[in-house]
Amino acid sequence: SSRILHETYGFFATGKEIPYEVEQNLVDAFIFNDYDGNLHLSTSHDTNSRSCSNEDDIGPPLGLVFWRTVPENEMNDWLDWEHVV
């Protein structure tokens, strides 16, 4: 389904703020489960421009949101605890 989404709609990145390669790498990592189930994907959809009258039609996708579950020890490395209140 994520492969079909990307093949159908192409890139969501503009190439300026986020390079196309970053989006392609994330889509590939998600499809091939490179993070052992810890990379997640959500989509946002335009519910105001539904393509048909079917209630289940959620409209065309507007973008992709990726996030990764990060182990506590890795999160501690990322955070600057001296500046966290």
Side-chain angles (χ1 to χ4, degrees):
S1 60
S2 57
R3 183 187 313 252
I4 293 169
L5 177 74
H6 206 253
E7 289 173 357
T8 302
Y9 293 99
F11 287 101
F12 292 91
T14 63
K16 293 180 182 177
E17 293 84 13
I18 297 176
Y20 298 119
E21 295 82 16
V22 172
E23 181 177 328
Q24 187 64 58
N25 288 341
L26 285 166
V27 169
D28 290 345
F30 183 78
I31 291 170
F32 297 112
N33 197 24
D34 290 349
Y35 291 93
D36 299 321
N38 289 318
L39 182 64
H40 310 282
L41 167 64
S42 292
T43 57
S44 57
H45 292 264
D46 183 359
T47 58
N48 293 320
S49 71
R50 297 176 181 200
S51 58
C52 67
S53 60
N54 182 349
E55 280 185 19
D56 294 331
D57 182 12
I58 57 175
L62 296 173
L64 307 173
V65 178
F66 290 94
W67 75 97
R68 181 171 68 94
T69 305
V70 178
E72 183 178 351
N73 60 338
E74 185 177 341
M75 183 60 73
N76 286 334
D77 290 342
W78 283 66
L79 293 175
D80 182 358
W81 287 108
E82 292 180 16
H83 295 93
V84 176
V85 177

